[in-house]
Amino acid sequence: RRYRESARRFSMDELVAIHDQVVEADRTLKSGANGDVVLPALVMAITGERTIAEKAAAGLFVRPAG
């Protein structure tokens, strides 16, 4: 019930876009990216910051050496 109430704050287009961002973050994590970077970036993307793809294209998801 609580989730349905929260979901009402978003349009269907916004929910689809958020789902796409979650899928994008999942793929990025599975390709070896650092979760400490990807997950905060996902939250920022959902809240209106740059998308995961834009951050990845900018080289922000480089796996740390070591």
Side-chain angles (χ1 to χ4, degrees), residues 3 5-6 11 13 16-17 21 23-24 26 29 32 36-37 42 47 50 52 58 61:
Y3 295 116
E5 291 171 9
S6 295
S11 70
D13 288 342
V16 169
Q21 291 170 330
V23 168
E24 205 175 317
D26 181 58
L29 287 167
D36 291 338
V37 175
L42 173 62
T47 60
R50 294 167 69 185
I52 300 294
F61 292 133

Side-chain angles (χ1 to χ4, degrees), residues 12-29:
M12 183 56 73
D13 288 342
E14 289 171 316
L15 291 173
V16 169
I18 289 169
H19 178 265
D20 291 345
Q21 291 170 330
V22 170
V23 168
E24 205 175 317
D26 181 58
R27 286 185 187 138
T28 303
L29 287 167

Side-chain angles (χ1 to χ4, degrees), residues 37-59:
V37 175
V38 175
L39 297 178
L42 173 62
V43 171
M44 290 183 346
I46 290 171
T47 60
E49 297 289 329
R50 294 167 69 185
T51 66
I52 300 294
E54 289 170 330
K55 289 181 177 286

